[in-house]
Amino acid sequence: MGRRPIRCYHQIKNKPYPKSRFCRGDKENVSSEALEAVHITCNEYMTKFSGKDAFYLRARVHPFYVLRINKMLSYAGANRPQTRMRRAFGKPQGVYARVSIGQFLLTICCKDNNNHLVQEALCCTKFKFPGHQMIIVSKNLAKHQPVSAFLNAIV
């Protein structure tokens, strides 16, 4: 049986566990597959057009949240062999990151002459994330990297 489509998990409706102190505010799920696809696509684009030493790419979110699914049978007479909601903890289906609205997802540091390449790379890869993304260009320098442009993609 295949995986469910990602549109089923964009908005989080309920808390994952009762009385959880970690689940406050509006959040979205970003799957580990989406994070990996964005990282690979952006890295390939920047390596192809600017060289592998001209940028610094960093993913700001990490998938720690395990999404579980309680599989239900859907054929005629299926209520007899299954246990319905008894022991319905579910099997792990995938790993997701819980992302707040406005949180930074990806950071690329580069020199001024590669600024337009970074914006183009982020424009190409932002469609792999669920929801709406913005690209923010900042002149704030990273402490560990002597660069003059600092770009962020946020949800």
Side-chain angles (χ1 to χ4, degrees):
M1 183 174 171
R3 294 183 54 187
R4 286 191 176 186
I6 195 67
R7 66 176 178 269
C8 298
Y9 305 108
H10 284 298
Q11 294 292 333
I12 298 171
K13 295 183 214 168
N14 301 322
K15 296 180 180 180
Y17 296 102
K19 297 182 182 177
S20 175
R21 63 187 169 103
F22 301 110
C23 304
R24 295 181 181 143
D26 293 332
K27 296 194 180 235
E28 286 198 14
N29 286 338
V30 177
S31 67
S32 61
E33 289 89 2
L35 287 169
E36 186 67 22
V38 167
H39 192 271
I40 289 172
T41 306
C42 198
N43 197 12
E44 283 180 0
Y45 187 91
M46 289 301 295
T47 305
K48 180 179 178 183
F49 290 108
S50 68
K52 65 179 184 177
D53 295 331
F55 67 96
Y56 171 73
L57 175 64
R58 181 179 178 200
R60 293 289 192 98
V61 293
H62 302 287
F64 293 123
Y65 174 67
V66 177
L67 185 69
R68 296 183 173 274
I69 183 168
N70 182 24
K71 291 186 179 177
M72 304 294 272
L73 303 175
S74 62
Y75 56 87
N79 56 356
R80 192 165 41 98
Q82 70 185 7
T83 59
R84 294 188 186 103
M85 291 302 289
R86 272 184 244 149
R87 297 187 297 272
F89 188 63
K91 294 182 180 178
Q93 184 187 13
V95 184
Y96 287 78
R98 293 175 66 95
V99 179
S100 299
I101 305 298
Q103 183 177 352
F104 293 129
L105 297 177
L106 194 68
T107 300
I108 301 177
C109 302
C110 70
K111 303 228 182 224
D112 274 337
N113 56 356
N114 292 330
N115 196 0
H116 65 284
L117 292 174
V118 173
Q119 288 181 7
E120 185 65 31
L122 287 176
C123 281
C124 292
T125 58
K126 72 180 184 178
F127 300 109
K128 296 182 183 294
F129 282 130
H132 301 288
Q133 281 72 40
M134 293 171 25
I135 297 172
I136 295 177
V137 180
S138 175
K139 292 292 182 182
N140 296 334
L141 300 178
K143 294 179 181 177
H144 58 278
Q145 196 79 356
V147 295
S148 56
F150 194 65
L151 281 81
N152 294 308
I154 65 171
V155 173

